[in-house]
Amino acid sequence: MDKYEVVIGLEVHLELRTETKIFCPCPTTFGDEPNTHVCPVCLGLPGVLPVLNKRALEFAVLTGLALNCDINSHSKFDRKNYFYPDLPKAYQISQYDFPVAKQGHLSMQTNGETRVIGINRVHLEEDAGKLIHSEDGLYSLVDYNRTGVPLVEIVSEPDIRSAEEARVFLEALKRILLYTRVSDCKMEEGSLRCDANISIRLKGETELGTKTELKNMNSFKAVQKGLEFEVERQIERLERGERIIQETLRWDEGSAETISMRSKEEAHDYRYFPEPDLVPMEIGTQIVEEVKKRLPELPQEKKERFVIQYGLPEYDAEVLTSTREMADFFEDCVKGFPEPKIVSNWVMGEMSRHMNAAGLDFCNNKVLPEHLVEMLEMLQQGRISGKMAKDIFAEMFSSGKKAEQVVAEKGLEQISDQGVLEGIVEEVIKNNPGPVADYRAKKKKALGYLVGQAMKATRGSANPQMVNAILRDKLK
Ligand SMILES: [Zn+2]
């Protein structure tokens, strides 16, 4: 309703792509047998000491830089008390008052306008294990493989004004994070998870309303749906004169509603205190400068550059820069075949179509940039027709063969030899006296028929433009 303003802040948990856990040398691989990647440190046995994984810290700094944050030169870890069996220490090592990075922002496009969403903080913490509840509800199992996997938590400012904006923010964030390669961002494997804080206030009001926290949304679409539901629910309550209760809610995909889990904790419920087993970190300018060198050109800058450097339409630039791999593929092709729009059409068209159908991406399909370049050159030289190119590409895509090889094996090469085509055309004229007479009687349609006959005689491999020109010439 128009008199209310929606206020949403997001918390995104991201598993970092390190090989080992944050405080011990256990591997972080996903999907192995339960409790096979554990040691005394991540099981929280008495007497053990955590040792910080340097790579996890570098990834957190990189994440902060990609989100335009200030890196805290002084940062430290804290214990967050937490009594669930998925963290056997009964506390989580996290960061409270000195996160790795703070005060950043992310710009995104929505409904044709640029919106800048503040990033409150980026901090490091350890992931919890995974609880598996039995169907009869009689017991629960716990898998500690995930315990101690490094996470960054990215907390936005409450700058998001609708459920749709929340989805757009997450998509833009994921694109940036994938560019930095700090995480695989697989929501279905839990390496990217999102919670939302949401409240409603009257327009013009400056104080925040009572918020609820929404959890358990397994896709960006679910985030949008969950938030839409929660906005409605809160407005209805307010309209009835009821108060909003501060609580944690779970989005239930099946019933498409939010369900209360527990009353929401406040920070003091966690009784944070400095982690005595880890020394505070001094993140010097040298580390920051070194990590900065690893910061790639990010999607927004790349998109703007593609428009200017390659003269591409905004739409093409947007699609091509949607992943770093796609953008690299495009640029590698343009190096060999400097016709950006033609390359763009092929990459966004045939290439993407085949990859989507096969469930592949730019990292694992068999067509390399030089293969596409070779095929485009053959097309440009008229050795193959546009239609043949599509067939050849399909074969290249499925077999990994090069265009030259496919052409040779299938005898697909286009006939562009003037002498050969003249012979074929003469034959067609001789065999089709009726249409020839029609053409000469100014029935232009007859020409199309004759071209068709020449194409048929060569099983589609004659160069149609040349056949057309030779026919006109000979029938003068
Ligand atoms: Zn371990």
Side-chain angles (χ1 to χ4, degrees):
M1 246 183 274
D2 272 359
K3 66 178 188 182
Y4 294 107
E5 181 176 54
V6 175
V7 179
I8 297 170
L10 296 175
E11 286 173 16
V12 172
H13 285 92
L14 189 72
E15 282 185 356
L16 297 176
R17 203 156 67 172
T18 55
E19 280 174 24
T20 56
K21 292 186 180 180
I22 185 167
F23 300 122
C24 66
C26 294
T28 55
T29 33
F30 175 83
D32 289 332
E33 282 291 298
N35 298 312
T36 51
H37 305 320
V38 291
C39 73
V41 174
C42 52
L43 287 176
L45 299 187
V48 296
L49 288 172
V51 176
L52 177 64
N53 182 337
K54 189 180 167 211
R55 196 124 183 94
L57 175 63
E58 290 169 354
F59 279 169
V61 172
L62 189 58
T63 306
L65 291 173
L67 297 173
N68 308 295
C69 292
D70 296 332
I71 305 302
N72 259 329
S73 57
H74 174 82
S75 181
K76 71 174 182 36
F77 286 101
D78 299 275
R79 287 190 183 179
K80 179 180 181 180
N81 289 278
Y82 169 100
F83 304 101
Y84 281 100
D86 55 7
L87 262 181
K89 297 196 296 287
Y91 60 83
Q92 179 189 30
I93 303 180
S94 181
Q95 296 195 283
Y96 183 51
D97 45 1
F98 293 96
V100 169
K102 61 183 179 186
Q103 288 171 332
H105 63 266
L106 178 156
S107 320
M108 60 186 207
Q109 308 286 326
T110 162
N111 298 324
E113 66 169 319
T114 302
R115 290 268 290 122
V116 178
I117 306 296
I119 302 294
N120 176 283
R121 59 191 277 148
V122 173
H123 74 242
L124 263 176
E125 61 186 27
E126 57 182 340
D127 206 351
K130 206 172 172 183
L131 286 168
I132 302 139
H133 306 290
S134 72
E135 271 180 32
D136 55 17
L138 290 177
Y139 62 91
S140 295
L141 299 169
V142 59
D143 175 8
Y144 290 116
N145 283 352
R146 204 175 67 181
T147 310
V149 167
L151 291 180
V152 286
E153 181 173 328
I154 300 162
V155 182
S156 88
E157 296 290 357
D159 293 342
I160 297 165
R161 291 289 168 267
S162 71
E164 192 198 348
E165 249 185 44
R167 180 183 51 78
V168 174
F169 172 85
L170 288 170
E171 283 167 357
L173 178 67
K174 181 178 170 182
R175 211 173 299 143
I176 291 170
L177 295 169
L178 282 174
Y179 261 66
T180 62
R181 296 185 175 147
V182 296
S183 171
D184 60 18
C185 299
K186 285 184 183 163
M187 229 174 166
E188 66 282 8
E189 290 182 9
S191 51
L192 189 154
R193 310 194 284 272
C194 171
D195 301 333
N197 285 299
I198 167 165
S199 62
I200 305 289
R201 64 183 169 195
L202 285 171
K203 274 204 179 131
E205 184 77 52
T206 48
E207 260 180 58
L208 290 171
T210 306
K211 66 180 176 185
T212 57
E213 186 180 7
L214 195 51
K215 287 183 177 287
N216 196 45
M217 297 166 290
N218 298 322
S219 66
F220 291 169
K221 235 169 143 184
V223 171
Q224 183 172 352
K225 276 190 342 200
L227 283 169
E228 275 165 3
F229 179 90
E230 185 56 16
V231 167
E232 283 297 305
R233 191 190 70 88
Q234 290 195 12
I235 289 176
E236 274 171 31
R237 276 189 83 94
L238 292 174
E239 285 287 297
R240 286 200 302 266
E242 293 173 55
R243 287 178 49 194
I244 305 298
I245 301 157
Q246 180 161 330
E247 60 185 341
T248 301
L249 304 161
R250 182 169 65 82
W251 170 244
D252 189 90
E253 189 76 53
S255 64
E257 58 185 1
T258 54
I259 294 165
S260 180
M261 287 167 77
R262 55 176 185 262
S263 64
K264 170 89 179 95
E265 304 87 347
E266 299 276 358
H268 63 248
D269 293 326
Y270 291 122
R271 297 183 296 115
Y272 281 99
F273 68 90
E275 167 59 61
D277 290 341
L278 286 161
V279 291
M281 296 175 282
E282 297 299 330
I283 309 174
T285 45
Q286 202 191 332
I287 298 177
V288 176
E289 287 308 314
E290 244 164 63
V291 174
K292 219 174 240 172
K293 283 184 208 145
R294 274 181 257 159
L295 190 67
E297 182 183 35
L298 294 172
Q300 187 62 28
E301 315 160 49
K302 204 185 274 292
K303 180 185 148 189
E304 286 160 15
R305 179 169 66 79
F306 274 25
V307 171
I308 294 165
Q309 184 177 344
Y310 299 117
L312 290 175
E314 188 108 348
Y315 174 80
D316 290 43
E318 171 93 32
V319 175
L320 292 172
T321 56
S322 58
T323 69
R324 192 171 156 188
E325 291 73 23
M326 190 177 194
D328 287 349
F329 188 94
F330 166 80
E331 291 207 279
D332 286 344
C333 288
V334 172
K335 274 180 211 143
F337 189 80
E339 297 275 358
K341 184 58 185 146
I342 294 174
V343 173
S344 167
N345 289 347
W346 274 87
V347 173
M348 297 192 334
E350 288 302 292
M351 184 99 195
S352 296
R353 194 169 65 77
H354 282 283
M355 284 195 303
N356 287 342
L360 296 172
D361 57 38
F362 282 92
C363 308
N364 57 16
N365 87 87
K366 293 173 188 154
V367 179
L368 300 177
E370 54 267 35
H371 298 161
L372 182 59
V373 165
E374 183 193 89
M375 196 210 73
L376 291 175
E377 281 169 349
M378 294 172 84
L379 181 60
Q380 196 180 42
Q381 291 155 4
R383 286 180 56 197
I384 54 174
S385 68
K387 186 183 172 308
M388 282 178 195
K390 287 188 179 179
D391 295 340
I392 292 165
F393 184 84
E395 179 66 22
M396 287 163 64
F397 188 87
S398 61
S399 68
K401 287 175 187 162
K402 291 189 188 176
E404 286 285 1
Q405 194 185 347
V406 177
V407 166
E409 280 176 11
K410 300 211 163 185
L412 276 173
E413 191 140 4
Q414 181 162 265
I415 304 169
S416 301
D417 184 302
Q418 182 79 17
V420 174
L421 289 177
E422 278 181 11
I424 292 161
V425 167
E426 274 160 20
E427 197 72 5
V428 167
I429 291 173
K430 201 174 84 190
N431 294 337
N432 294 280
V436 167
D438 285 349
Y439 178 75
R440 288 192 166 130
K442 305 274 181 246
K443 287 182 187 164
K444 295 289 174 210
K445 256 170 128 183
L447 187 71
Y449 177 80
L450 294 169
V451 172
Q453 292 304 302
M455 297 306 291
K456 200 170 157 193
T458 57
R459 278 178 298 138
S461 57
N463 180 323
Q465 286 83 27
M466 289 181 73
V467 168
N468 206 299
I470 294 168
L471 262 170
R472 283 174 190 275
D473 195 47
K474 289 201 182 287
L475 292 177
K476 255 181 205 159

